[in-house]
Amino acid sequence: MSVLRNLESKLTDLVEGTFGRVFRSAVRPVELARKLTKEMEEHKRVSVSRTYVPNEYVVWLSPEDRERHEGAENEIIGELAAYLLEHARRERLAMVSRPHIEFRTDKRLSLGQFGIQARMVRPESAQDGGEREPVQGDHGHTMIYSTAERLRQPVQETGGSRAQQAILVAEGKRFVVPPDGATIGRSRECDVVLGDANVSRRHAELRGEGTGGGAYTISDLGSTNGVRVNGRAVQDGHPLQAGDRIELGTAQVLFELE
């Protein structure tokens, strides 16, 4: 129990301490910590006697978010790496080296959005010329998260069953949809930003139906090229099911539930 309290204390420190002031109105380190551990858990690799998890993480931030923590980046990365290492030890997960975290900028992301890539990389050695060798190949899909509709929740995890999480897969990325929905379009103000020129600035909107999670509808926001679900044109309030393929102009989007 003392280890659990220690982890919760670290999260609280990230929220309320020096780094919390840096991220007061945008991406917060506590959100990065939670999503990094989520990516760690979702990329497990079981061997004969151990369960391995990624040791290298790339965090993609919008230019605005990157600028907000200028001067404190190394300290933030150090805290996040220490948190990942402690989480792995608590859950008895193995890493081939200490966690390595790198921040990068993606101009396609808007304020409050961030992406995470995770992979396993063998540590540098003299035999391989000092290069970091991937164990599982190159980075896969980037999971995109948004804090635009941030849920105000305590640091401690609550019990009970977890509601299904909606995911949109588009342009090689996975976008997490907030429980009450998200707007999709080319505008930086949208929750899900797509780069396809045939997508309108505010093309469509996903709406969460009810408080239990898992029920979503999609509506056309007066787009130029329309919205199609599984090949059929839709307008307002069309229900979505896991596996549905959404077309926004020529952009292809897959709707998933986890």
Side-chain angles (χ1 to χ4, degrees):
M1 185 62 71
S2 60
V3 175
L4 289 174
R5 285 199 298 268
N6 190 24
L7 289 173
E8 291 165 0
S9 176
K10 282 183 175 293
L11 279 174
T12 302
D13 290 342
L14 286 170
V15 176
E16 299 176 352
T18 302
F19 306 145
R21 293 196 296 273
V22 176
F23 288 85
R24 182 172 294 131
S25 60
V27 176
R28 299 174 182 174
V30 65
E31 292 163 333
L32 293 178
R34 287 188 178 122
K35 299 309 182 183
L36 282 167
T37 55
K38 182 176 185 292
E39 291 300 303
M40 172 188 283
E41 293 283 352
E42 291 189 353
H43 290 81
K44 293 178 182 177
R45 185 178 181 183
V46 181
S47 68
V48 176
S49 59
R50 293 185 177 183
T51 299
Y52 287 93
V53 291
N55 60 321
E56 183 172 284
Y57 301 83
V58 177
V59 178
W60 296 92
L61 297 170
S62 68
E64 296 88 347
D65 279 311
R66 190 77 187 273
E67 183 179 357
R68 283 171 182 264
H69 70 262
E70 186 177 3
E73 185 171 299
N74 290 337
E75 295 172 272
I76 296 170
I77 289 175
E79 288 287 343
L80 292 173
Y83 179 76
L84 284 182
L85 186 60
E86 190 164 352
H87 177 82
R89 286 173 176 170
R90 187 192 74 175
E91 300 297 327
R92 297 185 178 181
L93 302 173
M95 291 184 178
V96 296
S97 70
R98 289 181 60 86
H100 174 81
I101 301 174
E102 180 182 355
F103 283 4
R104 296 182 186 175
T105 304
D106 189 335
K107 295 181 179 179
R108 295 172 297 180
L109 298 176
S110 57
L111 181 68
Q113 287 186 322
F114 61 96
I116 296 177
Q117 292 175 319
R119 68 174 180 175
M120 296 182 193
V121 179
R122 291 193 181 95
E124 298 175 1
S125 67
Q127 294 181 347
D128 60 20
E131 296 182 355
R132 298 173 64 81
E133 179 183 352
V135 176
Q136 289 185 309
D138 294 333
H139 291 290
H141 288 300
T142 303
M143 179 67 83
I144 304 296
Y145 298 96
S146 175
T147 62
E149 301 294 337
R150 180 182 289 124
L151 297 177
R152 301 188 181 280
Q153 59 185 9
V155 172
Q156 286 92 346
E157 297 294 336
T158 57
S161 61
R162 182 175 67 87
Q164 285 186 298
Q165 175 70 67
I167 304 291
L168 294 180
V169 182
E171 299 179 346
K173 299 179 180 179
R174 293 170 61 84
F175 298 85
V176 176
V177 180
D180 53 354
T183 54
I184 312 171
R186 287 189 295 109
S187 172
R188 299 288 183 182
E189 297 178 357
C190 291
D191 300 304
V192 177
V193 181
L194 301 179
D196 193 309
N198 291 296
V199 174
S200 298
R201 289 182 57 80
R202 285 176 53 85
H203 198 115
E205 180 182 24
L206 263 68
R207 297 172 185 155
E209 302 295 329
T211 59
Y216 288 84
T217 61
I218 189 169
S219 299
D220 191 338
L221 296 179
S223 66
T224 301
N225 295 313
V227 177
R228 302 176 72 87
V229 177
N230 299 326
R232 297 179 58 185
V234 301
Q235 293 295 325
D236 294 333
H238 183 83
L240 292 174
Q241 297 182 353
D244 280 349
R245 296 190 175 275
I246 305 168
E247 298 175 46
L248 307 178
T250 57
Q252 303 290 322
V253 180
L254 177 64
F255 178 78
E256 296 181 347
L257 290 173
E258 295 183 349

